[in-house]
Amino acid sequence: MSSSFRIHGLVAATHTPFHADGSLNLSIVQQQFAMLHSDGVRYAFIGGTTGESSSLTLDERLQLADRWSRVVRGTDLQLIVHVGSNCLDDSVSLAKQAQQLGVAAVSAVAPSYFKPGNVQTLVESMSKIASAAPELPFYYYEIPTMTGINIWPSEFLEAATPRIPNLSGIKFTSSNLMEYQLCRRHSNSKFDIPFGFDEMLLPALSLGAIGAVGSSYNFAAPIYRRVMQAFAVNDLQAARDEQMRAVRLIKLLASYGYMAAAKTVMKLRGVDVGPPRLPIAGLTNDQQAELHRDLDQMGFFSWL
Amino acid sequence: MSSSFRIHGLVAATHTPFHADGSLNLSIVQQQFAMLHSDGVRYAFIGGTTGESSSLTLDERLQLADRWSRVVRGTDLQLIVHVGSNCLDDSVSLAKQAQQLGVAAVSAVAPSYFKPGNVQTLVESMSKIASAAPELPFYYYEIPTMTGINIWPSEFLEAATPRIPNLSGIKFTSSNLMEYQLCRRHSNSKFDIPFGFDEMLLPALSLGAIGAVGSSYNFAAPIYRRVMQAFAVNDLQAARDEQMRAVRLIKLLASYGYMAAAKTVMKLRGVDVGPPRLPIAGLTNDQQAELHRDLDQMGFFSWL
Amino acid sequence: MSSSFRIHGLVAATHTPFHADGSLNLSIVQQQFAMLHSDGVRYAFIGGTTGESSSLTLDERLQLADRWSRVVRGTDLQLIVHVGSNCLDDSVSLAKQAQQLGVAAVSAVAPSYFKPGNVQTLVESMSKIASAAPELPFYYYEIPTMTGINIWPSEFLEAATPRIPNLSGIKFTSSNLMEYQLCRRHSNSKFDIPFGFDEMLLPALSLGAIGAVGSSYNFAAPIYRRVMQAFAVNDLQAARDEQMRAVRLIKLLASYGYMAAAKTVMKLRGVDVGPPRLPIAGLTNDQQAELHRDLDQMGFFSWL
Amino acid sequence: MSSSFRIHGLVAATHTPFHADGSLNLSIVQQQFAMLHSDGVRYAFIGGTTGESSSLTLDERLQLADRWSRVVRGTDLQLIVHVGSNCLDDSVSLAKQAQQLGVAAVSAVAPSYFKPGNVQTLVESMSKIASAAPELPFYYYEIPTMTGINIWPSEFLEAATPRIPNLSGIKFTSSNLMEYQLCRRHSNSKFDIPFGFDEMLLPALSLGAIGAVGSSYNFAAPIYRRVMQAFAVNDLQAARDEQMRAVRLIKLLASYGYMAAAKTVMKLRGVDVGPPRLPIAGLTNDQQAELHRDLDQMGFFSWL
């Protein structure tokens, strides 16, 4: 149990690498690690939304976590393993493995085909998972745009406090910054609330965020590190300019379909994580070439 | 391949039976079969929404389908196995098993954590599944209230026709009866469109529905059979009265939480399928007793 | 007060006629009346959604109702005047006028910029309007796709019964046919529940609907009358075929933007109600010509 | 025309004062002005969402704007008059009056019963209004939680630039801070983008916001002025603490129904703006007393 666990700085929500035929390509994990290390990123979030965990079999998720834990052994990169699933029994299996692997923390999105009917049922669902890795800090993963769940995260903290002893906080992927403040200040700021929208990092920093989890930290971490550095020395204009670069990057990727485009950017940076799996459509070769040109014109590669 | 497959009458979307502790209780399947047989229901839909398939492990889903196929062997009850999942590779495994088991048909809901971005991607996703059981009729399972997917099912039929040779039709769980008509009439009424809202069976019959899939056909089939019989002989007042009984039943169950209450009704009818799994909360003993009284007062048991 | 008022048959939700420049063109009302009369439609709903009432000034709404009441004087066409508005004081003014004009009934959609927070506030809002025309039957106008209000209409009836003595029923524009049944059967079928989705008329008939309000009854009433006639003599196949024509018509109009296309159809039938007002964009001349061709090809004009 | 108009600091989105019976009580406007003046607020937004403009008759809106313009004459409080309405002709009347009154700017929310179908139609709708007050800066009022309109405001700016010469910017009431950045930076930061969520003022400041429009600036401006002052001198901890007070205040008011509770706070601060109009329910006397106690306990009155 470790309620004093705190995530400082950037957490890359890593892609799951596939071969061109869609099969798992674990040999790439080493390269993903190397790029994060080289970009100064010290945490990796494994098998989350960006990692397409909902498109992986349980066995693949176990293999993926296992590989990452072996790759990072002896390094200072810490792992937070995502174990959320519609099937809580799968989540339990993943949480048990995570504890055995000795990773830094686990996190889980709520089931969303069936949505928890109220905050108590949400807490019971998360408690089942968290209690399967009782020695690890647990992060509830709030992301209403994906789940469609409308339970205030601050109410989750309130109801979960007596039920989940290893609750460390919330991976907060929502633009509701009123709730963000309520979560950060809950119980005398007891909880760790890493922020999940890359394009809103600077606003989160203004509210006191110390950690952030996101997919573009895989391939554009230098931009965000400059946001954080400029913010730290009160150079807000520089922070805004860097944040605006991130916004332009994300807007561009979104115009191609964010998930598929982000995997293409990884490839362009030399780490071929392959295409996404269905139900996400990959980019065609033509689209990839066009995206490459757009990134060039924007100056993206000079920002790294 | 069997595009002329047609579902006639009621299909019970069966519950997955659990022990009190939530573990799979396959010994109950025999009793579920017996009740359906006794109620004159000739099709069972296995592991769908009612079957809480999204809360089952892949292994459990395989076991469940296997058990049902053994239980119904030599009887006239036909199985339609639901194989949908956020993970299409799991769907493929389930579809392959279904074909091996020689069930009547397979059906799949679309992935919904990631939602297909357009009709083509939806078709590619379903094609991947359908092609894993090429000798079985395939039903796309439309249920926008659960998936949040807003792709017209009639457009799915249009785009899927050249891509999914074993496409048999759509399990249509939506109140959009304009789309229902468009689907039924598509390609000279080539497709089979069983209807999925029990509380709207009579309206669907008026439009020509010949089959219907639903959860309350597990425990209240006699009511619906009378709806169909009265409709068949143009006794609309009787059909409406019976349909209204179904509406009152469903409204009552919904006031307790439909999924959990429906499992309680199974128990009250003598087939203990256990509680639901999280993230669906079960009824307390007090709630179950109260529901029993409400059903009594309503006259439910006399309607069977 | 007239709780026994019942609407039988089709109610045309009339367009508000504009000149090409968007100004009110009341001279067309006489032609609208003549077409309804000739098509056998015996009720007109004035200034509803189809009538773009939310785009009219209060003074224009008063003029419109006044003109219709003068046009139909001495005929057997009955008027139901829509008085709903975000501004309840405007609704009160309109309701008072309606009673003075001696129309058959009034109806009101709920305010939707601010949405009533619960059923009691909805009832208070409707009560304020209904009590301004206490001698006229009042219809609550349920149309959640436009208002975004998610209060069950059956709960509205329950809460409104003691508060709105002249409540006659609900103009039910929703595909939730479970609620439709609950409303029809409420308080021993005390209320009149005309149905509002033209493309689902036949299903509503199957549930006992006796009246229907819709925009395509302005220009395609013969099709729907045949639906009703075929249904009345239990010729369901003919009823379905006619209903399917309506579905194809509505699908076609929707592909152009339903509201603007419907006004074009009026023009093609010889009654030039002009373009819609912003924020609804009108069809260009080219689009109007193309729609004309599409209608011809479909056989629309031969269906009348 | 005045594209260089910029709003600096807080804009109070003023309440419309009513008598206890709901009728307009313009005599209170003088007191509202006095409180804003005393709290150091230099802009008032008249007849917006907080002002319940959608519940006012056109005549009342004209009277309200007229009264405010007379009250502020000769003072340094500037008026921005909201002229949005479902009825664009009403908006035009209001915009013409605003120009005649010589107020600082006009603003309009988009019609939302009918929602503009695309960005061009939205621009045409806003252009119609803006061109009725061509000498005043025009602000498009973005507030998707109320309107349900999902057109990116940055796309609005793009499409509106050639069509609305007096476009000054956007009153941006959305938590989408990616869009906020895109709007601020659009066309070399040509536009003024005052921010509309009081509870997220500090994050907006971090992105460079220089103005903010909100309802709690009516009665809690000192808190927000301290947010801005602390931010200006890089005392982020103080800024966060003050912002958190605002969050706690708003959370409390929301628990009573924000709109009604906010009017009660005005009364508690000595300016009786009366109850809200239906469809917003007012607080009972008991609720008002309880809110008073809650505010006391929270320390609200000591924060002013």
Side-chain angles (χ1 to χ4, degrees):
Chain A
M1 224 291 289
S2 39
S3 73
S4 59
F5 187 78
R6 285 287 183 280
I7 294 169
H8 289 266
L10 301 178
V11 184
T14 57
H15 297 90
T16 297
F18 299 129
H19 289 287
D21 68 358
S23 61
L24 204 55
N25 184 5
L26 292 178
S27 67
I28 302 296
V29 169
Q30 181 66 46
Q31 297 174 49
Q32 293 177 272
F33 163 76
M35 187 160 83
L36 294 179
H37 184 77
S38 139
D39 279 358
V41 177
R42 288 172 39 219
Y43 301 84
F45 191 82
I46 308 302
T49 300
T50 300
E52 297 173 76
S53 64
S54 63
S55 303
L56 303 182
T57 67
L58 173 61
D59 187 56
E60 288 172 331
R61 293 180 74 173
L62 292 166
Q63 287 181 53
L64 179 71
D66 182 72
R67 177 60 65 101
W68 270 100
S69 78
R70 283 189 284 118
V71 163
V72 303
R73 198 158 297 157
T75 76
D76 62 355
L77 192 128
Q78 296 196 62
L79 299 184
I80 302 156
V81 175
H82 177 249
V83 302
S85 171
N86 278 334
C87 174
L88 294 184
D89 284 336
D90 282 358
S91 293
V92 164
S93 300
L94 290 159
K96 284 181 176 167
Q97 180 210 31
Q99 180 164 308
Q100 268 179 328
L101 294 174
V103 301
V106 294
S107 179
V109 73
S112 61
Y113 185 78
F114 294 120
K115 300 182 204 310
N118 54 46
V119 67
Q120 283 303 337
T121 307
L122 173 61
V123 167
E124 291 314 303
S125 301
M126 291 299 104
S127 172
K128 178 167 178 169
I129 301 171
S131 64
E135 295 170 18
L136 296 184
F138 177 80
Y139 287 86
Y140 168 56
Y141 181 176
E142 159 86 351
I143 184 166
T145 53
M146 294 301 288
T147 63
I149 296 171
N150 294 310
I151 295 173
W152 297 129
S154 61
E155 291 181 18
F156 172 80
L157 289 181
E158 185 70 22
T161 297
R163 294 283 298 124
I164 306 182
N166 54 330
L167 180 64
S168 186
I170 296 180
K171 170 177 173 350
F172 191 98
T173 307
S174 156
S175 64
N176 187 331
L177 296 185
M178 173 154 150
E179 275 296 313
Y180 187 68
Q181 292 173 76
L182 287 166
C183 288
R184 284 198 74 251
R185 296 283 183 133
H186 199 276
S187 302
N188 292 313
S189 306
K190 174 183 173 188
F191 295 108
D192 188 31
I193 317 289
F195 189 70
F197 274 139
D198 314 9
E199 61 271 30
M200 288 175 58
L201 175 59
L202 176 54
L205 294 176
S206 78
L207 293 172
I210 58 170
V213 188
S215 63
S216 65
Y217 308 149
N218 283 296
F219 48 80
I223 300 169
Y224 296 98
R225 292 180 62 205
R226 291 195 298 269
V227 170
M228 297 182 92
Q229 287 155 359
F231 178 81
V233 298
N234 290 324
D235 184 352
L236 278 165
Q237 193 51 53
R240 285 170 200 152
D241 288 346
E242 294 292 342
Q243 182 68 67
M244 188 64 197
R245 284 176 163 173
V247 163
R248 290 173 61 201
L249 172 63
I250 289 170
K251 183 86 173 174
L252 174 64
L253 301 186
S255 72
Y256 283 85
Y258 182 83
M259 292 285 296
K263 285 194 128 174
T264 298
V265 180
M266 289 297 289
K267 187 176 170 187
L268 295 173
R269 285 212 54 196
V271 180
D272 189 353
V273 292
R277 280 188 180 173
L278 285 172
I280 303 175
L283 301 193
T284 62
N285 287 339
D286 282 357
Q287 287 174 313
Q288 294 190 36
E290 192 189 345
L291 173 56
H292 195 165
R293 282 193 299 276
D294 289 345
L295 289 165
D296 259 335
Q297 272 183 14
M298 175 187 277
F300 169 69
F301 297 100
S302 71
W303 298 343
L304 301 176
Chain B
M1 223 290 291
S2 41
S3 73
S4 61
F5 187 77
R6 285 288 184 279
I7 293 168
H8 289 266
L10 301 178
V11 183
T14 56
H15 297 90
T16 297
F18 300 130
H19 290 286
D21 68 358
S23 61
L24 204 55
N25 184 5
L26 293 177
S27 67
I28 301 296
V29 169
Q30 181 65 46
Q31 297 174 49
Q32 294 177 272
F33 163 76
M35 187 159 83
L36 294 179
H37 185 76
S38 141
D39 279 359
V41 176
R42 288 172 41 219
Y43 302 84
F45 191 83
I46 307 303
T49 300
T50 301
E52 297 172 76
S53 64
S54 63
S55 304
L56 303 182
T57 67
L58 174 61
D59 188 57
E60 289 173 329
R61 293 180 74 172
L62 293 166
Q63 286 180 54
L64 179 71
D66 183 71
R67 177 61 64 101
W68 269 100
S69 78
R70 283 190 284 117
V71 162
V72 303
R73 198 158 297 156
T75 76
D76 63 354
L77 193 128
Q78 296 196 63
L79 298 184
I80 302 156
V81 175
H82 177 249
V83 303
S85 170
N86 276 335
C87 173
L88 294 183
D89 284 336
D90 282 357
S91 293
V92 164
S93 299
L94 289 158
K96 284 181 175 166
Q97 180 209 31
Q99 181 164 307
Q100 269 179 327
L101 294 174
V103 301
V106 295
S107 179
V109 73
S112 61
Y113 185 77
F114 295 120
K115 300 183 205 308
N118 54 46
V119 68
Q120 283 303 339
T121 307
L122 173 60
V123 167
E124 291 314 304
S125 301
M126 291 299 105
S127 172
K128 178 165 178 169
I129 301 172
S131 64
E135 295 170 18
L136 296 183
F138 176 80
Y139 287 87
Y140 167 56
Y141 181 176
E142 159 86 350
I143 184 165
T145 53
M146 294 301 288
T147 63
I149 295 171
N150 294 310
I151 295 173
W152 296 129
S154 62
E155 290 182 18
F156 171 81
L157 289 181
E158 185 71 22
T161 296
R163 294 283 298 125
I164 306 182
N166 54 331
L167 180 64
S168 186
I170 296 180
K171 170 177 174 347
F172 191 98
T173 306
S174 156
S175 64
N176 187 331
L177 296 185
M178 173 154 151
E179 275 296 314
Y180 186 67
Q181 293 172 75
L182 288 165
C183 289
R184 285 198 73 252
R185 297 282 182 134
H186 199 278
S187 302
N188 293 313
S189 305
K190 175 182 173 187
F191 296 108
D192 187 32
I193 317 290
F195 189 70
F197 274 140
D198 313 8
E199 62 272 30
M200 288 174 58
L201 175 58
L202 177 55
L205 294 177
S206 79
L207 294 171
I210 58 171
V213 188
S215 63
S216 66
Y217 307 150
N218 283 295
F219 49 79
I223 300 170
Y224 297 98
R225 291 180 63 204
R226 291 195 298 268
V227 170
M228 297 182 93
Q229 288 156 359
F231 179 80
V233 297
N234 290 325
D235 184 352
L236 278 166
Q237 193 50 55
R240 285 169 199 154
D241 289 345
E242 295 292 344
Q243 181 68 66
M244 187 64 198
R245 284 177 163 172
V247 163
R248 290 174 59 201
L249 172 64
I250 288 170
K251 182 86 172 174
L252 175 63
L253 300 187
S255 72
Y256 283 86
Y258 183 82
M259 294 284 296
K263 285 194 127 174
T264 298
V265 179
M266 290 297 288
K267 187 175 169 188
L268 295 173
R269 285 212 53 196
V271 179
D272 188 353
V273 291
R277 281 188 179 172
L278 286 171
I280 303 176
L283 301 193
T284 62
N285 287 340
D286 282 357
Q287 287 175 313
Q288 294 190 37
E290 193 189 344
L291 173 56
H292 195 164
R293 281 193 298 276
D294 288 346
L295 289 165
D296 259 335
Q297 272 183 15
M298 175 187 276
F300 169 68
F301 298 100
S302 71
W303 298 344
L304 301 176
Chain C
M1 223 292 292
S2 41
S3 72
S4 59
F5 186 78
R6 285 287 183 281
I7 294 169
H8 288 266
L10 302 177
V11 184
T14 56
H15 297 89
T16 297
F18 299 130
H19 289 288
D21 67 359
S23 60
L24 203 56
N25 184 4
L26 293 178
S27 67
I28 301 296
V29 169
Q30 180 67 45
Q31 297 174 48
Q32 293 177 272
F33 163 74
M35 188 159 85
L36 295 179
H37 184 76
S38 140
D39 280 358
V41 177
R42 288 171 41 218
Y43 302 83
F45 191 83
I46 307 304
T49 300
T50 302
E52 297 173 76
S53 64
S54 63
S55 304
L56 303 183
T57 66
L58 173 60
D59 187 56
E60 288 173 330
R61 294 180 73 173
L62 293 166
Q63 286 181 54
L64 180 71
D66 182 71
R67 176 63 64 100
W68 269 100
S69 78
R70 283 189 282 119
V71 162
V72 303
R73 199 157 295 156
T75 76
D76 63 353
L77 193 128
Q78 297 195 62
L79 299 184
I80 302 155
V81 176
H82 177 249
V83 302
S85 171
N86 277 334
C87 174
L88 295 183
D89 284 336
D90 282 358
S91 293
V92 164
S93 299
L94 290 158
K96 283 181 176 167
Q97 180 210 33
Q99 182 164 305
Q100 270 179 326
L101 294 174
V103 301
V106 295
S107 179
V109 72
S112 61
Y113 186 77
F114 294 120
K115 300 184 204 309
N118 55 45
V119 67
Q120 283 303 336
T121 307
L122 173 60
V123 167
E124 291 313 305
S125 301
M126 291 298 105
S127 172
K128 178 168 177 168
I129 301 172
S131 65
E135 294 170 18
L136 296 184
F138 177 80
Y139 287 86
Y140 168 56
Y141 180 177
E142 160 85 352
I143 185 164
T145 53
M146 295 301 289
T147 63
I149 295 172
N150 294 311
I151 295 173
W152 296 129
S154 61
E155 291 181 19
F156 171 80
L157 289 181
E158 185 71 20
T161 296
R163 295 281 300 125
I164 306 182
N166 55 329
L167 181 64
S168 186
I170 296 180
K171 171 175 172 351
F172 191 98
T173 306
S174 156
S175 64
N176 187 330
L177 296 185
M178 173 155 151
E179 274 295 314
Y180 187 68
Q181 293 173 76
L182 288 166
C183 288
R184 283 199 74 252
R185 296 283 183 135
H186 199 277
S187 302
N188 292 312
S189 305
K190 174 182 173 186
F191 295 109
D192 187 32
I193 318 289
F195 189 71
F197 273 140
D198 313 9
E199 62 272 29
M200 289 174 57
L201 175 59
L202 178 55
L205 294 176
S206 79
L207 294 171
I210 58 171
V213 187
S215 63
S216 65
Y217 307 150
N218 282 296
F219 48 78
I223 300 170
Y224 297 98
R225 291 180 62 204
R226 291 195 298 268
V227 171
M228 297 182 93
Q229 287 156 359
F231 178 80
V233 298
N234 291 324
D235 184 353
L236 278 165
Q237 194 50 54
R240 285 170 199 152
D241 288 347
E242 295 292 342
Q243 181 68 67
M244 188 63 197
R245 285 176 162 173
V247 163
R248 290 174 59 202
L249 172 64
I250 289 170
K251 183 85 172 175
L252 175 63
L253 300 187
S255 72
Y256 284 85
Y258 182 82
M259 293 284 297
K263 286 195 127 175
T264 299
V265 180
M266 289 297 289
K267 187 176 170 187
L268 295 173
R269 285 212 53 196
V271 179
D272 188 353
V273 292
R277 281 189 179 171
L278 286 171
I280 304 175
L283 301 193
T284 62
N285 287 339
D286 281 357
Q287 287 175 313
Q288 293 190 37
E290 193 188 344
L291 173 55
H292 195 165
R293 283 193 298 275
D294 288 346
L295 289 165
D296 259 335
Q297 273 183 16
M298 175 187 276
F300 169 68
F301 298 100
S302 71
W303 298 343
L304 301 176
Chain D
M1 224 291 291
S2 41
S3 72
S4 59
F5 186 78
R6 284 288 184 280
I7 294 169
H8 289 266
L10 302 178
V11 183
T14 57
H15 297 89
T16 297
F18 299 130
H19 289 287
D21 68 358
S23 60
L24 204 56
N25 184 6
L26 293 178
S27 67
I28 302 297
V29 169
Q30 180 67 44
Q31 297 174 48
Q32 293 178 273
F33 163 76
M35 188 160 84
L36 294 179
H37 184 76
S38 139
D39 279 358
V41 176
R42 287 171 41 220
Y43 302 84
F45 191 82
I46 307 302
T49 300
T50 301
E52 298 173 77
S53 65
S54 63
S55 303
L56 302 182
T57 66
L58 173 60
D59 187 58
E60 289 173 329
R61 294 180 73 173
L62 293 166
Q63 286 181 54
L64 180 70
D66 182 71
R67 177 61 64 100
W68 269 100
S69 78
R70 283 189 285 120
V71 163
V72 304
R73 198 156 297 155
T75 77
D76 63 353
L77 193 128
Q78 296 195 61
L79 298 185
I80 302 156
V81 175
H82 177 249
V83 302
S85 171
N86 278 333
C87 174
L88 294 183
D89 284 336
D90 282 357
S91 293
V92 164
S93 299
L94 289 158
K96 284 181 177 167
Q97 180 210 30
Q99 182 165 307
Q100 268 180 325
L101 294 175
V103 302
V106 295
S107 179
V109 73
S112 61
Y113 186 77
F114 295 120
K115 300 183 203 309
N118 55 44
V119 68
Q120 283 303 336
T121 307
L122 173 60
V123 167
E124 292 313 304
S125 301
M126 291 298 105
S127 172
K128 179 168 177 168
I129 301 172
S131 64
E135 295 171 18
L136 296 183
F138 176 80
Y139 287 86
Y140 168 56
Y141 180 177
E142 159 86 351
I143 184 164
T145 53
M146 295 301 288
T147 63
I149 295 171
N150 295 310
I151 294 173
W152 297 129
S154 61
E155 290 181 19
F156 171 81
L157 289 180
E158 185 70 21
T161 297
R163 294 283 299 125
I164 306 182
N166 54 331
L167 180 64
S168 185
I170 296 181
K171 170 176 173 349
F172 191 98
T173 306
S174 157
S175 64
N176 187 330
L177 296 185
M178 173 155 152
E179 275 296 314
Y180 187 68
Q181 293 172 76
L182 288 165
C183 288
R184 285 198 73 252
R185 297 282 183 135
H186 199 277
S187 301
N188 292 315
S189 306
K190 175 182 172 187
F191 295 109
D192 187 31
I193 317 290
F195 189 70
F197 273 140
D198 313 9
E199 62 272 30
M200 288 174 58
L201 175 59
L202 177 56
L205 293 177
S206 79
L207 294 171
I210 57 169
V213 187
S215 63
S216 66
Y217 307 150
N218 282 294
F219 47 80
I223 300 170
Y224 296 98
R225 291 180 62 204
R226 291 195 297 270
V227 171
M228 297 181 92
Q229 287 157 358
F231 179 80
V233 298
N234 290 324
D235 184 353
L236 278 165
Q237 193 50 53
R240 285 170 200 151
D241 288 346
E242 295 292 342
Q243 181 69 66
M244 188 63 197
R245 284 177 162 173
V247 163
R248 290 175 60 202
L249 172 63
I250 289 170
K251 183 86 172 173
L252 175 63
L253 300 187
S255 72
Y256 284 86
Y258 182 82
M259 293 284 296
K263 285 195 128 175
T264 298
V265 179
M266 289 298 288
K267 186 176 169 187
L268 295 173
R269 285 211 54 197
V271 179
D272 188 354
V273 292
R277 280 188 180 172
L278 286 170
I280 304 175
L283 301 193
T284 62
N285 287 339
D286 282 356
Q287 287 175 312
Q288 294 190 36
E290 194 190 344
L291 173 55
H292 195 162
R293 282 193 299 275
D294 289 346
L295 289 165
D296 258 337
Q297 271 183 15
M298 175 186 276
F300 169 69
F301 298 101
S302 71
W303 298 343
L304 301 177

